[in-house]
Amino acid sequence: MNYCSACGEKVSLVVPEGDNRQRFVCGSCEMIHYENPKIVTGCIAEWQDKILLCKRAIEPRHGLWTLPAGFMENAETNLQGAARETAEEANAKVDNMKLFCVFSIAHINQVYTMYRGDLVEGLASPGSESLEVELVTEEEVPWQNIAFQVISETLKLYYQDKKKDNFVMHYGDIIKQSDDSYIVNYF
Amino acid sequence: MNYCSACGEKVSLVVPEGDNRQRFVCGSCEMIHYENPKIVTGCIAEWQDKILLCKRAIEPRHGLWTLPAGFMENAETNLQGAARETAEEANAKVDNMKLFCVFSIAHINQVYTMYRGDLVEGLASPGSESLEVELVTEEEVPWQNIAFQVISETLKLYYQDKKKDNFVMHYGDIIKQSDDSYIVNYF
């Protein structure tokens, strides 16, 4: 950030009075520009013993597999956002959506809210951000070609709960280690 | 938003190519400025049969009661943010924190993540954003003077689960009606 979005003058990084963090503050109109984490919201769409995966047509991780998910927009709920992303990426409709897991990923300033629901009529086809969509069983999940760690963790939790026939909500922190591996702490 | 934070030139509201929503786009460097919901993260701090409430020393809702909570910062987890807010607003430390509820509030572009944990040694005192802090039993909760609907809903869920001696995670959408009343849908 270089300029104030309100008045167009230069901003600088300072700790505002009464605050304890550096913020971008306008030298002219004194507006404080806060930067906060973003929410990614998405969905495990279930059909019989299968779930819906999408092959990414966009960067990052072009060509790898993911669950339909994307940045939550203003004026929508997490659930509405998850449904919208599933419609956009896989032309699919999902019923009976329940929040399944929340992951906090501090090193990229993101929080994921992932839902679980019924894929209506088992119907899906690639949206503009997907190369392919596929309904897969657990054995068919391409574990080595999943786009993001948070998606692998979501799928692992899903199959754990499915085996117990008891789905509950989960919360975890995904932490990137100095050697680029990840650890996940559940609370 | 009037100016591009990257280059300082004028922005205008347009639907970018491949998008379906209006965004602020810079007429000069073409940067797209996305605006997304913010996360508020906070805590029910428990001590014996009481919980910690704070009387707000800041607007909005100056003088009304709330749970310690505030905007999540970059580079922290939801849980760390809830602990930080509890420290800042009530000089209190909380152990064994568990995610208790997530509320989506589309009309103000906010998502709340509220935790539950043990108030260490029952110790708390007002931080700079609090006029008072108090440990209250269920009977002592000032229901008519709670600052925000989402805090009332969190407290209601808390006492419902406490009576059953079975705390589970909850997700709900808080929807403001045209007559300014609220409805809450749980999923």
Side-chain angles (χ1 to χ4, degrees), chain A residues 133-164:
Chain A
V133 298
E134 203 159 337
L135 288 167
V136 298
T137 62
E138 182 177 359
E139 292 67 37
E140 291 167 344
V141 171
W143 293 103
Q144 302 310 311
N145 292 307
I146 298 295
F148 304 106
Q149 186 72 22
V150 62
I151 301 301
S152 299
E153 295 298 329
T154 300
L155 292 172
K156 276 192 247 172
L157 289 177
Y158 173 75
Y159 288 114
Q160 276 172 25
D161 281 10
K162 193 177 180 192
K163 280 188 184 62
K164 294 185 229 163

Side-chain angles (χ1 to χ4, degrees), chain B residues 18-49:
Chain B
D19 202 338
N20 51 21
R21 279 165 201 256
Q22 286 196 321
R23 315 280 183 185
F24 288 106
V25 179
C26 178
S28 175
C29 76
E30 297 182 8
M31 180 172 279
I32 304 168
H33 297 277
Y34 296 95
E35 296 182 300
N36 302 91
K38 289 193 196 301
I39 298 164
V40 178
T41 188
C43 188
I44 301 170
E46 303 172 282
W47 174 251
Q48 296 165 352
D49 65 335

Side-chain angles (χ1 to χ4, degrees), chain A residues 53-69:
Chain A
L53 293 182
C54 302
K55 192 174 190 174
R56 288 174 65 82
I58 53 171
E59 293 295 348
R61 316 291 166 86
H62 182 280
L64 296 185
W65 291 88
T66 191
L67 293 164

